[in-house]
Amino acid sequence: VSAPLDELRAKLTPGAVLEPADGLERYERSVLFDRRGQAAFAVRPKTVDDVRSVVRWAVRHRVRLVAQGANSGLVDAGLPDASGEMGVLSLELCRERLDIDPLDRTVTASAGWDLDGVNDRLAAHGLRVPVDVGSNPLIGGMISTNTGGTNVVRYGDVRRLTRGVQVVVADEDATVLDLLAAVRKNNAGLDLKQLFIGAAGTLGIVTAATMDVAVLPRQRAVAWVGVSGDRGAFALLQVLERRAGELLTSFEMMSGRMLQLRARHKPDLRQPFPLDAIPPLALLIELSSTIDPASGLDVAQLLAEIIGAHAADGTVIDAVFGPPEQMWAMRHGIDETAAEGYQFWVDVCFARSAIADFRARFDELLDARYPGWEFIDLGHYGDGGLHAAGMYPFRLGREPPPEEVEALRGEVYELVSELGGSFSAEHGIGPSNAAYYHAYTPTDVQRLSGRLKAVFDPHGILGVTRFGTAAPG
Amino acid sequence: VSAPLDELRAKLTPGAVLEPADGLERYERSVLFDRRGQAAFAVRPKTVDDVRSVVRWAVRHRVRLVAQGANSGLVDAGLPDASGEMGVLSLELCRERLDIDPLDRTVTASAGWDLDGVNDRLAAHGLRVPVDVGSNPLIGGMISTNTGGTNVVRYGDVRRLTRGVQVVVADEDATVLDLLAAVRKNNAGLDLKQLFIGAAGTLGIVTAATMDVAVLPRQRAVAWVGVSGDRGAFALLQVLERRAGELLTSFEMMSGRMLQLRARHKPDLRQPFPLDAIPPLALLIELSSTIDPASGLDVAQLLAEIIGAHAADGTVIDAVFGPPEQMWAMRHGIDETAAEGYQFWVDVCFARSAIADFRARFDELLDARYPGWEFIDLGHYGDGGLHAAGMYPFRLGREPPPEEVEALRGEVYELVSELGGSFSAEHGIGPSNAAYYHAYTPTDVQRLSGRLKAVFDPHGILGVTRFGTAAPG
């Protein structure tokens, strides 16, 4: 970057600006994957005013910025590209505000607060941000990603939990939009804040958010249920929604093949089912409630009762009950399957009624035309979400030809589109899947998205993801 | 209108276009209030293609259109203005689609379907759109208004229930944006559909929507609880959320003064409390559940138990339990208070922690400087919503001076703003409150809203509400 970094440095606290000589690796590298970009610099504002200074400077000098949180995203939307010309605007030190309103059940936090940190403080009030993910994202990253997780069936995604946001947009003045109004209902005009949720930092820099928080449950019950297939799984889901809908907190699926792989690769991990009787599909089901068991509701008993009654239809093979932490621990170790083979994953979502079809057709596709490939998946069946992969086992002794991977990937996305699904359910859009955004988003939607982008970021300096055909940059 | 209506007529089915000679009164008049506009014509498309024909024609001839549903809105956003130059685009005949997916718990309906009609069909599946309002709006109107109601604390507003929309925007080609994807999670790009929810038909014509629907409850319990004031009311709300949060379906407030007025004006209506012991605040509380009482949970018993235990704090004056329909019926007849005096109402929403302050200060304002005026209100305390009014009783024998009404109105909106509230919680923005949008919405938000408007409706032909300073027309 030829831009005068000294000018930027002068506006911020000492140490806010880091250059390659200072070591930028942690701002260039994804936490989970072996992927990286190259940054011209990293800047770490502490306040909203700092953020404005950075954006104003960047607009003036036409320096491209990528907003970054905990770097735990899965599509690289928070990493600089490979040009070496982008600056990383890390929100990690932006922790000015943390206000809890227990009566209103909200928390207002600056973008740099981490989820665990916020939840630690909320716990003192018997509250929490009801988002369960396998990482510890920053609040700003959660807003920009519209994080999902394993509790969406009960509490919704981050969009649903978000009452307001504060954003710095990329016009000459780096205007702050204060859309933090802490109200549950606000119909006083266009709801601009919605645009910034899940926008991957491309329309503005999210500097704070107000979120609804949930009351900690008084009782939880968790079970692993083995079923004979999708028909049985969705029948059980419907029964649960009709007999205990408001208590259903998670309804997760793991395929039998996934459990087998996990057992083979990590024999020391505890398994929900005997190794010689792993069912075709395993469901991890949680009911939870704020109601005291003394009031007559015992969620463990209710869960056992519903599963027991449903078992009469013949689709339930086995059910295992136990302490919630122990049951959930058996879901971990999935990442270990990466050691089993080359994998390409899709993060998709369907109407629940279309999931079975997608799974069957993905599997058939591999069987019919991609020799050696295996289908593995797990999902958030309660909300229609599915993480599915084609895996080419290492035991085959070679990498799959790149053109075969690309062909398969294309066919799978085509199938997602045909079945009316979303090709990015919860991970968002970033360099790792942007090609599919351009291929599968209607042209008109892309065109209008580009025009929206231009309203908030007229010079196209924000983000690595390019939404819309008209996006400058 | 000098535009060639014959050209429009030729594109649609016979009878689709109505002119003043045909009688346009029902398209010009608000259902609830004595307010009206004047239409050049009304057009009633039956299909999405029809809507496109209308919009394309209107863009070409620069004819301004206002989309209209059941005409049950409260801010006149669906009425033509007084110019006599606007056309009413009524969606009442647009009923092409009604698809129910019971497994996915969704309904996809064309804009012209009415709420009661949709719910009748959903009932066969044990489902319903969980929106309770005192009218029967059309689906398109509900999306464009982001309807609230008495169940928001449990199910959220229409925005939260909306998975997708189909919209015709006002460019030359009348582009259809198909954003109906029936998925619970979709992070595949900017979430354009959000912009059309609550936009009062100013960005496009909503032609269909996919909404989440809820399982009909298996048990309900409703109580009227008299409390000594706001402290007691919110203490009870917190206890309910912490002991039965997931069952709380309504937490409504009616002030003692409101109940007194209602009793005085309609002595035949049944009262929840003895007339000589009307409490300062009355709460209408509903718990409901999909859980069978045979499973150990009796919601009536739980509600009585929680209220009983809480009564020990001294703020509970009286509690009345009874069949849900009977209890809810006692909330009706509020409109009758209109016969008591001149009233101006505000539809506001606050963080719950700010409601008590707003009520007290509104009341004090009247006492201190507006002789004769009385404060009346009722609200959706669970979600922070409040409908509050200054009333000038007819018994004073004269109308309040208009300048006094305007001064008071201004002071009340100022107070709403000072306390961080929304000045339009659920009714939206239309001619009847647009002045407050312009006065209390930050200039930057208005400016950017105007630019968003221009993206979807570049010629400014849609709607009567003008969001944004840059709105053309």
Side-chain angles (χ1 to χ4, degrees):
Chain A
V1 161
S2 59
L5 272 181
D6 286 345
E7 183 191 323
L8 178 62
R9 202 176 269 115
K11 294 177 194 299
L12 304 171
T13 47
V17 179
L18 302 176
E19 292 188 70
D22 302 311
L24 297 180
E25 170 125 332
R26 61 180 288 241
Y27 300 101
E28 296 174 326
R29 194 174 276 284
S30 153
V31 165
L32 269 173
F33 301 110
D34 184 28
R35 296 194 291 237
R36 57 171 293 174
Q38 198 186 335
F41 62 92
V43 57
R44 299 172 302 170
K46 290 186 176 172
T47 65
V48 179
D49 282 343
D50 283 355
V51 172
R52 292 189 73 184
S53 297
V54 176
V55 172
R56 220 184 271 121
W57 171 87
V59 169
R60 191 178 324 124
H61 298 287
R62 302 290 192 268
V63 174
R64 290 173 61 219
L65 295 174
V66 60
Q68 188 175 96
N71 231 342
S72 54
L74 300 176
V75 296
D76 307 338
L79 293 180
D81 62 21
S83 69
E85 290 174 2
M86 294 187 81
V88 172
L89 193 168
S90 167
L91 277 306
E92 64 190 334
L93 303 182
C94 196
R95 294 161 65 94
E96 278 180 290
R97 287 186 70 176
L98 185 72
D99 303 319
I100 294 169
D101 181 340
L103 169 53
D104 206 38
R105 272 200 294 109
T106 53
V107 62
T108 299
S110 296
W113 274 92
D114 61 305
L115 177 60
D116 290 349
V118 171
N119 275 338
D120 282 349
R121 274 142 193 96
L122 283 167
H125 303 275
L127 300 169
R128 73 181 186 110
V129 177
V131 174
D132 281 275
V133 282
S135 57
N136 184 27
L138 303 191
I139 295 295
M142 289 172 72
I143 299 292
S144 296
T145 309
N146 186 21
T147 308
T150 58
N151 285 349
V152 170
V153 69
R154 172 79 171 259
Y155 300 104
D157 54 16
V158 161
R159 182 181 302 279
R160 183 166 129 195
L161 298 169
T162 302
R163 285 223 210 146
V165 296
Q166 183 190 54
V167 188
V168 175
V169 298
D171 53 16
E172 266 70 15
D173 193 40
T175 299
V176 183
L177 296 182
D178 183 348
L179 307 165
L180 279 175
V183 293
R184 281 184 167 69
K185 294 188 303 194
N186 191 356
N187 271 342
L190 302 183
D191 194 356
L192 266 57
K193 72 168 178 291
Q194 299 293 344
L195 282 174
F196 301 98
I197 302 173
T202 60
L203 301 186
I205 307 294
V206 175
T207 48
T210 300
M211 296 179 79
D212 277 329
V213 296
V215 174
L216 286 169
R218 222 174 276 260
Q219 19 170 356
R220 300 169 64 196
V222 182
W224 279 92
V225 180
V227 292
S228 54
D230 279 319
R231 194 178 62 79
F234 287 108
L236 181 55
L237 174 58
Q238 272 196 299
V239 170
L240 280 162
E241 288 199 332
R242 279 162 191 266
R243 294 196 51 188
E246 59 271 25
L247 309 186
L248 186 61
T249 308
S250 295
F251 191 93
E252 301 279 299
M253 180 283 289
M254 198 183 298
S255 68
R257 203 176 291 180
M258 195 82 188
L259 284 175
Q260 277 160 355
L261 277 185
R262 178 177 172 275
R264 197 160 67 207
H265 190 73
K266 281 275 177 178
D268 49 316
L269 284 180
R270 189 163 162 187
Q271 296 292 332
F273 304 101
L275 289 184
D276 57 356
I278 290 180
L281 276 190
L283 304 169
L284 179 55
I285 300 169
E286 174 165 342
L287 299 187
S288 70
S289 178
T290 61
I291 300 169
D292 197 302
S295 296
L297 175 71
D298 180 325
V299 296
Q301 195 184 310
L302 180 62
L303 181 56
E305 190 181 306
I306 294 173
I307 294 170
H310 179 67
D313 90 342
T315 59
V316 172
I317 292 171
D318 196 0
V320 185
F321 300 83
E325 290 68 26
Q326 209 176 88
M327 296 281 106
W328 276 101
M330 288 193 268
R331 188 173 180 275
H332 301 328
I334 297 164
D335 301 338
E336 311 292 346
T337 62
E340 279 282 331
Y342 174 90
Q343 300 173 359
F344 91 85
W345 286 90
V346 291
D347 159 41
V348 293
C349 192
F350 296 94
R352 294 164 176 175
S353 35
I355 293 182
D357 203 12
F358 172 75
R359 296 184 72 230
R361 290 176 62 183
F362 192 158
D363 201 1
E364 282 163 20
L365 183 68
L366 294 177
D367 279 355
R369 293 194 285 122
Y370 294 86
W373 287 85
E374 294 174 11
F375 176 65
I376 54 175
D377 66 345
L378 73 164
H380 314 295
Y381 266 22
D383 62 42
L386 190 74
H387 303 293
M391 185 181 77
Y392 195 80
F394 291 141
R395 66 181 141 74
L396 298 181
R398 63 178 190 114
E399 278 197 24
E403 60 278 13
E404 186 170 310
V405 177
E406 277 319 293
L408 173 57
R409 197 189 294 264
E411 287 203 75
V412 171
Y413 275 99
E414 199 61 55
L415 185 58
V416 173
S417 172
E418 183 189 329
L419 294 174
S422 165
F423 56 88
S424 187
E426 52 181 17
H427 297 167
I429 304 290
S432 71
N433 60 359
Y436 300 95
Y437 171 80
H438 294 290
Y440 292 101
T441 305
T443 314
D444 290 321
V445 172
Q446 291 192 46
R447 180 174 50 82
L448 291 166
S449 295
R451 297 195 54 196
L452 294 180
K453 160 87 172 170
V455 168
F456 299 101
D457 178 21
H459 305 292
I461 65 157
L462 295 183
V464 283
T465 305
R466 297 197 189 174
F467 292 123
T469 46
Chain B
V1 162
S2 58
L5 272 181
D6 287 343
E7 182 191 325
L8 178 61
R9 202 176 271 114
K11 294 178 194 298
L12 303 171
T13 48
V17 178
L18 301 176
E19 292 188 70
D22 303 311
L24 297 179
E25 172 125 328
R26 60 179 291 241
Y27 300 101
E28 296 174 327
R29 196 174 276 283
S30 152
V31 166
L32 270 173
F33 301 111
D34 185 27
R35 296 193 293 236
R36 58 171 292 175
Q38 199 186 334
F41 63 91
V43 57
R44 300 171 301 170
K46 290 185 176 174
T47 65
V48 179
D49 281 343
D50 283 354
V51 172
R52 292 190 72 184
S53 296
V54 177
V55 172
R56 221 183 271 124
W57 170 87
V59 168
R60 191 178 325 123
H61 298 288
R62 301 290 192 267
V63 175
R64 289 174 60 220
L65 296 173
V66 61
Q68 187 175 95
N71 232 342
S72 54
L74 300 175
V75 296
D76 306 339
L79 293 180
D81 63 21
S83 69
E85 291 174 0
M86 294 186 82
V88 172
L89 193 169
S90 168
L91 278 305
E92 64 190 334
L93 302 183
C94 196
R95 294 161 64 92
E96 279 179 288
R97 286 186 70 175
L98 184 71
D99 303 319
I100 294 170
D101 181 340
L103 168 55
D104 206 37
R105 271 202 294 109
T106 53
V107 62
T108 299
S110 295
W113 275 92
D114 62 304
L115 177 59
D116 290 349
V118 172
N119 275 338
D120 282 350
R121 275 143 193 95
L122 283 167
H125 302 276
L127 300 168
R128 75 181 185 109
V129 177
V131 173
D132 281 275
V133 284
S135 57
N136 185 27
L138 303 190
I139 295 295
M142 291 173 70
I143 300 291
S144 296
T145 308
N146 185 19
T147 308
T150 58
N151 285 349
V152 171
V153 68
R154 172 79 170 260
Y155 300 103
D157 53 16
V158 162
R159 182 182 301 280
R160 183 166 127 193
L161 298 170
T162 303
R163 285 221 209 147
V165 297
Q166 182 191 54
V167 189
V168 174
V169 300
D171 52 17
E172 267 69 14
D173 192 40
T175 299
V176 184
L177 297 182
D178 183 348
L179 308 165
L180 279 175
V183 292
R184 282 184 165 70
K185 295 187 303 194
N186 191 355
N187 270 343
L190 302 183
D191 193 355
L192 265 58
K193 73 168 178 291
Q194 299 293 344
L195 282 173
F196 301 97
I197 302 173
T202 59
L203 301 187
I205 307 295
V206 175
T207 48
T210 300
M211 297 180 77
D212 277 328
V213 296
V215 174
L216 286 168
R218 220 174 278 260
Q219 21 171 355
R220 299 169 65 196
V222 183
W224 279 93
V225 180
V227 292
S228 54
D230 280 318
R231 195 177 61 78
F234 286 108
L236 181 55
L237 175 57
Q238 272 196 298
V239 169
L240 280 162
E241 288 199 331
R242 279 161 191 267
R243 292 198 49 190
E246 60 271 26
L247 308 186
L248 186 63
T249 308
S250 294
F251 191 94
E252 301 280 298
M253 181 282 288
M254 199 182 298
S255 70
R257 202 176 291 179
M258 197 80 188
L259 283 174
Q260 277 158 358
L261 278 184
R262 178 175 171 279
R264 197 159 68 207
H265 189 74
K266 281 275 177 180
D268 51 317
L269 284 179
R270 187 163 165 189
Q271 295 292 332
F273 305 102
L275 288 183
D276 58 355
I278 289 179
L281 277 191
L283 304 169
L284 179 54
I285 300 170
E286 174 165 340
L287 300 187
S288 70
S289 178
T290 59
I291 300 169
D292 197 302
S295 296
L297 175 70
D298 180 326
V299 296
Q301 194 184 311
L302 180 62
L303 181 57
E305 189 183 304
I306 294 173
I307 294 170
H310 179 67
D313 90 341
T315 58
V316 173
I317 292 171
D318 197 358
V320 185
F321 300 84
E325 290 67 27
Q326 208 178 90
M327 296 282 106
W328 276 101
M330 290 195 265
R331 189 173 180 272
H332 303 327
I334 295 162
D335 301 337
E336 311 292 345
T337 62
E340 279 280 330
Y342 174 91
Q343 302 172 359
F344 92 85
W345 287 90
V346 291
D347 159 42
V348 293
C349 192
F350 295 95
R352 295 163 176 176
S353 35
I355 293 181
D357 201 12
F358 173 75
R359 299 184 70 231
R361 289 176 63 183
F362 192 158
D363 200 3
E364 282 162 18
L365 183 68
L366 294 176
D367 280 354
R369 293 191 286 120
Y370 293 86
W373 288 85
E374 293 174 12
F375 176 66
I376 56 175
D377 66 345
L378 73 163
H380 313 296
Y381 266 21
D383 62 42
L386 191 75
H387 303 292
M391 184 183 76
Y392 196 79
F394 292 141
R395 67 180 140 73
L396 297 180
R398 64 177 190 114
E399 279 196 22
E403 60 277 15
E404 189 170 307
V405 177
E406 278 319 294
L408 174 56
R409 199 190 292 265
E411 287 202 76
V412 171
Y413 275 99
E414 199 61 56
L415 185 56
V416 172
S417 171
E418 184 189 328
L419 294 174
S422 165
F423 57 88
S424 188
E426 51 181 19
H427 297 168
I429 304 289
S432 73
N433 61 358
Y436 300 94
Y437 171 81
H438 294 290
Y440 292 100
T441 305
T443 314
D444 290 321
V445 173
Q446 291 191 47
R447 180 172 52 78
L448 291 166
S449 295
R451 297 194 54 198
L452 294 181
K453 161 87 171 168
V455 168
F456 299 100
D457 178 21
H459 306 292
I461 65 156
L462 294 182
V464 283
T465 305
R466 298 196 189 175
F467 292 123
T469 46

